[in-house]
Amino acid sequence: MADLAPLLRAAEERLTALGVEEARLDLLYLAERAFGITLSRLRRADGVSVPQSAIADFQALVDRRATREPVQRILGDWEFWGLTLALGPETLIPRADTETLVEAVLKRRAERHRPWRILDLGTGTGAIVLALLSEYPQAFGVGVDLSPDAAAVALHNARSLGLADRASFLAGSWADALAGPFDIIVSNPPYIPDADIAALAPEVARFEPWRALAGGVDGLDPYRHLAQALPLLLSQGGLVGFEHGADQGPAVATLLRAAGFRDVVTLCDLGGRDRVALGTHPG
Ligand SMILES: C[S@@+](CC[C@H](N)C(=O)[O-])C[C@H]1O[C@@H](n2cnc3c(N)ncnc32)[C@H](O)[C@@H]1O
């Protein structure tokens, strides 16, 4: 057996020197995986001993983090809305900010037992639609992604969460293959201006799929397309909810209003930044 505290200290110094932010927390997640010790026990690392045989596994995970691979990708799964979601090379890591969109939809459509028909465009891991299905027990959800591999990961997640009998996932471009009507349409499309991607943190620029990030010259291409396409797919009074970048609130709201959406509002994430646009369509 070996003392964990000095191992963690050395790894933290190494990762911090390489520019990794919050290295300590990442290391606790990696240690939890390598040593099978709970996070709460690891937070008080003094006095924790670990088997010599697992130290090489831990160091291998730290080596991966040292290349700036995100801890979520190293672990292979991540939590969103209390649900554990598997990740794949083609899926974005689900972000806590995206829970703002889930929360906003739940507030606007508070009847939990209605058989809502939900569409999630650019579904990735299925995070948004699966979170909504977990809250609406009678709802049915469709998730679409341009990446067939992402759609397969989302289906896998639906199965492991016991939601697959109310969810369907397909590969395609936005809603081009769909007719509707849907009561709720959500999307967290790619919204980073193409030219800005290279300057993002290496965890994002090098390890997130390009097609999950790149939103065209100004980052707004997907909203332009979706604002035009979605009115035809929504039921009367149907709700649309978009996640967007912190500086895109006014532009996305303007696109929605121009496409005939009403009651358009912009909502902030937990950091107080514009993050979500909601609107309804008269049909
Ligand atoms: C920002 S990620 C969001 C993933 C997931 N919804 C989430 O919130 O974690 C955007 C997703 O849109 C998908 N995507 C990009 N272009 C698309 C298109 N034309 N049609 C459908 N999906 C697209 C990407 O593959 C990616 O999974």
Side-chain angles (χ1 to χ4, degrees):
M1 299 292 275
D3 266 359
L4 178 62
L7 280 175
L8 281 179
R9 258 198 311 278
E12 186 177 356
E13 275 170 24
R14 178 182 171 202
L15 293 185
T16 305
L18 290 168
V20 173
E21 286 174 18
E22 300 196 36
R24 181 82 182 175
L25 184 58
D26 285 2
L27 287 164
L28 294 184
Y29 282 116
L30 299 181
E32 181 182 38
R33 186 61 57 96
F35 301 121
I37 301 172
T38 63
L39 212 57
S40 56
R41 179 72 187 94
L42 286 170
R43 281 182 197 281
R44 296 166 280 110
D46 286 335
V48 175
S49 301
V50 293
Q52 292 283 355
S53 57
I55 292 177
D57 294 343
F58 175 66
Q59 294 298 3
L61 300 181
V62 176
D63 288 348
R64 284 176 67 179
R65 188 67 188 96
T67 70
R68 304 298 294 266
E69 184 174 359
V71 72
Q72 298 92 329
R73 291 208 179 278
I74 300 171
L75 297 175
D77 56 51
W78 199 241
E79 203 173 290
F80 179 82
W81 201 261
L83 311 172
T84 299
L85 299 173
L87 307 174
E90 297 275 311
T91 61
L92 186 90
I93 298 165
R95 306 294 206 269
D97 280 344
T98 305
E99 295 186 351
T100 307
L101 174 55
V102 175
E103 217 173 340
V105 169
L106 291 171
K107 272 198 190 131
R108 275 279 192 106
R109 292 291 177 266
E111 302 104 310
R112 296 293 170 100
H113 289 274
R114 289 268 295 272
W116 302 113
R117 294 159 298 188
I118 303 170
L119 175 62
D120 177 13
L121 294 170
T123 195
T125 55
I128 303 170
V129 67
L130 293 174
L132 290 172
L133 291 178
S134 75
E135 298 288 343
Y136 293 130
Q138 315 293 334
F140 187 86
V142 176
V144 181
D145 205 285
L146 195 56
S147 158
D149 286 352
V153 170
L155 177 60
H156 166 88
N157 285 326
R159 287 194 177 123
S160 48
L161 293 166
L163 295 168
D165 57 341
R166 295 191 287 119
S168 177
F169 293 95
L170 59 136
S173 187
W174 302 130
D176 292 359
L178 298 174
F182 293 93
D183 305 304
I184 300 169
I185 301 183
V186 283
S187 184
N188 172 19
Y191 55 69
I192 314 282
D194 295 355
D196 293 357
I197 293 175
L200 297 176
E203 283 83 352
V204 181
R206 287 188 16 228
F207 289 94
E208 291 289 23
W210 172 267
R211 66 157 70 110
L213 304 175
V217 173
D218 60 359
L220 294 169
D221 282 358
Y223 302 103
R224 287 191 192 94
H225 175 83
L226 293 172
Q228 293 303 318
L230 298 193
L232 300 171
L233 286 160
L234 279 165
S235 58
Q236 209 175 6
L239 177 69
V240 69
F242 287 146
E243 175 172 328
H244 55 66
D247 56 354
Q248 294 171 331
V252 173
T254 300
L255 283 170
L256 283 175
R257 287 193 188 99
F261 284 88
R262 295 188 182 156
D263 311 318
V264 176
V265 290
T266 300
L267 304 168
C268 293
D269 60 25
L270 289 175
R273 293 158 303 200
D274 284 358
R275 186 60 62 196
V276 163
L278 289 182
T280 55
H281 205 273

